[in-house]
Amino acid sequence: MLRRSRYSTVIDAQLALFEREHRDVIDEAQQRLAEYNRADRDEAEELYGDYVDAVETGTEILADLRDHYARSVDDPERYCAEFNRAVARRLRPFASEIENR
């Protein structure tokens, strides 16, 4: 039997809020990746840097959201680990660096 994680309800709500409130950040990362994928070799490096910057913006917002809430729970390490896994499942582009923040 699959069991929901301890913090899954709150994490789902937090990620839904991020998706609503920061749709522009998500869209920009997707747009930057598409531009990079279409770019000529001459432009690719700069456009990839733009993509990385857009992803970093989203990652910072998510990490701030995670860290702020983590201060209010009795097991912050578990909450943070569950949050990071949920980001990896739901918002994959922002997952690569979230554990380092």
Side-chain angles (χ1 to χ4, degrees):
M1 175 196 297
L2 291 177
R3 159 183 150 213
R4 288 181 59 91
S5 68
R6 179 175 181 183
Y7 299 105
S8 62
T9 301
V10 73
I11 291 169
D12 286 344
Q14 290 171 322
L15 296 183
L17 175 68
F18 173 80
E19 290 170 328
R20 274 193 317 276
E21 296 292 319
H22 300 286
R23 173 53 50 194
D24 58 325
V25 174
I26 297 167
D27 290 346
E28 182 176 356
Q30 291 171 339
Q31 176 187 353
R32 300 289 183 196
L33 181 60
E35 289 170 359
Y36 165 73
N37 287 332
R38 288 190 306 266
D40 294 332
R41 183 175 224 167
D42 307 355
E43 303 171 306
E45 185 176 350
E46 182 178 339
L47 290 174
Y48 187 74
D50 293 344
Y51 168 69
V52 169
D53 290 344
V55 169
E56 285 179 1
T57 298
T59 302
E60 288 175 12
I61 294 167
L62 286 163
D64 288 346
L65 180 66
R66 177 199 64 201
D67 295 344
H68 179 76
Y69 189 78
R71 291 190 291 270
S72 71
V73 299
D74 60 340
D75 190 354
E77 287 182 24
R78 180 175 176 183
Y79 162 77
C80 288
E82 290 181 18
F83 186 94
N84 294 346
R85 283 192 300 273
V87 168
R89 283 191 308 273
R90 190 164 170 172
L91 297 162
R92 184 168 299 280
F94 304 105
S96 62
E97 289 294 318
I98 197 158
E99 290 184 12
N100 299 327
R101 304 237 180 219

